């Protein structure tokens, strides 16, 4: 049994659903969806196919981007009254780049227990298939559509040394690739689509080649873009170039003028230049 005795309020169960292949759903999730009092689904019409396939007859209610605040309040009241609610998204794990985030926050504020039934995730699936570094990564979801906010975020991403993961719709892909190439330069990228499905496709290439390819090919399906982070060598080279026109004395004095003591200013200048603190000390002594 998934549900234990609840003394007063019910619980919220975050149920991961398949991102493509229906076989990726867990036994625990199926049991939870059958035993819950109600299922909150992003799109009840889409989720009905999943319910039919696994012979699940639990009542469903819609919970999506356009009703996430008022509906979250309603669902919280139901849980306070003792109902157990299973939350699902159209595909993957709820609350990741998803309105479920709001419901979890409201449950936390109301003292309602939230538990997760892990499973499929497009983010992790794409990352592990990308062939890029998996040690450190940043997930940004869909880029904002508002131009100013989008530009600021792209500039942040351009400085990030972690592998960066984005979602993108087919009708926006070409424009996004153009912007990425312009802002980030020609980095390695993996374009993942149809994940876990029969025609799963992973294109491991560089941004320049991806732009050229999609200037002729028509994007199909939802994409997960996995992009190489900025190299530390590039950062060090830029930092070195920035200080080439500064004497060591001017470099240290600049940090002192910002409020650092001399010892810390020397340490920071050494770090900027990729040399030891003693090298800085000796150079200043010669002066």
């Amino acid at each position: 049994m998934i549900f234990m005795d609840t003394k007063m309020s019910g619980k919220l169960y975050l149920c991961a659903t398949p991102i493509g292949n229906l076989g990726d759903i867990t036994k625990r999730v199926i049991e939870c969806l059958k035993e819950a009092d109600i299922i909150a689904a992003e799109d009840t019409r889409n989720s009905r196919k999943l319910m039919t396939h696994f012979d699940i007859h639990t009542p469903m209610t819609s919970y999506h981007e356009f009703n996430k605040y008022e509906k979250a309040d309603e669902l919280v009241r139901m849980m306070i009254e003792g109902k157990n609610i299973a939350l699902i998204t159209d595909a993957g794990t709820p609350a990741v780049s998803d309105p479920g985030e709001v419901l979890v926050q409201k449950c936390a504020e109301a003292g309602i227990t939230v538990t997760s039934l892990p499973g499929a995730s497009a983010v992790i699936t794409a990352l592990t298939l990308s062939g890029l570094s998996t040690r450190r990564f940043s997930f940004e979801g869909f880029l904002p559509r508002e131009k100013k906010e989008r530009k600021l975020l792209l500039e942040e991403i351009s400085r990030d040394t972690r592998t960066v993961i984005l979602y993108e719709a087919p009708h926006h892909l070409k424009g996004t690739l153009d912007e990425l190439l312009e802002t980030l330069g020609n980095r390695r990228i993996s374009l993942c689509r149809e994940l876990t499905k029969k025609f799963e496709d992973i294109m491991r290439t560089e941004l320049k080649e991806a732009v050229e390819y999609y200037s002729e090919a028509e994007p199909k399906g939802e994409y997960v873009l996995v992009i190489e982070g900025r190299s530390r060598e590039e950062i060090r080279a830029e930092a070195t170039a920035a200080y080439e026109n500064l004497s060591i004395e001017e470099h240290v004095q600049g940090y002192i003028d910002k409020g650092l003591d001399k010892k810390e200013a020397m340490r920071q200048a050494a770090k900027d230049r990729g040399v030891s603190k003693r090298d800085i000390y000796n150079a200043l002594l010669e002066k």
Side-chain angles (χ1 to χ4, degrees), residues 167-182:
Y167 285 159
E168 192 51 280
H171 53 287
H172 291 306
L173 181 69
K174 292 182 180 181
T176 296
L177 290 174
D178 287 338
E179 289 178 280
L180 288 170
L181 179 59
E182 181 182 353

Side-chain angles (χ1 to χ4, degrees), residues 114-125:
V114 180
T115 189
S116 178
L117 283 64
S121 167
V123 178
I124 300 301
T125 303

Side-chain angles (χ1 to χ4, degrees), residues 21-22 25 52-53 55 81 100 117 141 187 200 222 284:
N21 192 314
L22 292 181
I25 197 168
T52 300
H53 183 84
D55 195 29
E81 293 169 0
L117 283 64
R187 297 190 192 173
E200 176 178 276
E222 299 295 322
L284 291 176

Side-chain angles (χ1 to χ4, degrees), residues 3-282:
F3 300 114
M4 304 297 289
D5 247 354
T6 51
K7 294 179 181 178
M8 294 291 288
S9 64
K11 293 182 182 180
L12 176 66
Y13 294 80
L14 307 178
C15 297
T17 52
I19 58 176
N21 192 314
L22 292 181
D24 290 336
I25 197 168
T26 68
K27 180 181 177 182
R28 187 173 172 227
V29 166
I30 294 173
E31 290 177 356
C32 182
L33 294 176
K34 287 183 176 180
E35 294 174 16
D37 293 299
I38 192 165
I39 297 169
E42 186 175 5
D43 185 335
T44 55
R45 293 167 300 178
N46 180 68
S47 297
R48 185 66 62 191
K49 302 170 189 175
L50 184 72
M51 302 303 130
T52 300
H53 183 84
F54 290 105
D55 195 29
I56 297 168
H57 305 284
T58 305
M60 284 197 294
T61 187
S62 61
Y63 177 75
H64 48 71
E65 183 65 29
F66 302 105
N67 71 353
K68 61 185 179 184
Y69 293 107
E70 60 271 25
K71 193 57 176 281
D73 291 333
E74 180 184 333
L75 294 172
V76 166
R77 283 195 296 271
M78 293 172 67
M79 284 180 277
I80 290 173
E81 293 169 0
K83 301 291 186 183
N84 288 309
I85 295 179
L87 177 67
I88 61 174
T89 185
D90 279 349
T93 301
V96 179
S97 194
D98 175 81
E101 176 185 10
V102 172
L103 182 55
V104 173
Q105 290 171 351
K106 287 185 176 287
C107 284
E109 291 167 3
I112 293 169
T113 300
V114 180
T115 189
S116 178
L117 283 64
S121 167
V123 178
I124 300 301
T125 303
L127 177 64
T128 56
L129 290 172
S130 69
L132 298 174
S133 174
T134 61
R135 191 174 72 84
R136 298 172 65 246
F137 64 92
S138 169
F139 172 60
E140 297 293 347
F142 288 95
L143 290 173
R145 299 257 65 92
E146 197 276 316
K147 287 185 178 180
K148 186 176 181 181
E149 186 183 355
R150 186 181 180 91
K151 183 180 179 181
L152 288 172
L153 181 56
L154 283 170
E155 288 173 355
E156 285 181 23
I157 290 173
S158 73
R159 298 188 293 270
D160 201 335
T161 58
R162 298 170 294 179
T163 300
V164 178
I165 306 170
L166 304 174
Y167 285 159
E168 192 51 280
H171 53 287
H172 291 306
L173 181 69
K174 292 182 180 181
T176 296
L177 290 174
D178 287 338
E179 289 178 280
L180 288 170
L181 179 59
E182 181 182 353
T183 311
L184 277 61
N186 190 29
R187 297 190 192 173
R188 289 189 295 163
I189 182 173
S190 290
L191 297 91
C192 309
R193 65 185 187 89
E194 299 294 293
L195 288 171
T196 77
K197 298 178 183 177
K198 183 178 181 180
F199 298 106
E200 176 178 276
D201 179 59
I202 314 298
M203 181 182 179
R204 301 179 184 90
T205 183
E206 294 181 343
L207 273 167
K208 185 178 180 181
E209 291 179 0
V211 167
E212 291 172 355
Y213 177 82
Y214 281 107
S215 66
E216 298 180 3
E218 194 63 30
K220 295 179 181 179
E222 299 295 322
Y223 286 79
V224 184
L225 308 179
V226 188
I227 308 158
E228 181 179 37
R230 190 181 186 196
S231 73
R232 296 186 183 278
E233 289 74 19
E234 182 184 350
I235 293 173
R236 281 194 289 269
E238 284 190 5
T240 300
Y243 300 120
E244 277 181 352
N245 297 324
L246 278 181
S247 70
I248 290 177
E249 189 175 24
E250 290 170 331
H251 196 163
V252 172
Q253 187 59 47
Y255 279 117
I256 292 173
D257 293 343
K258 291 178 181 178
L260 272 62
D261 61 40
K262 189 171 184 179
K263 185 177 179 181
E264 181 61 23
M266 289 167 61
R267 190 193 69 78
Q268 190 59 52
K271 182 180 178 182
D272 291 342
R273 291 173 178 262
V275 299
S276 70
K277 184 180 170 184
R278 178 159 292 280
D279 290 335
I280 299 294
Y281 177 76
N282 289 336

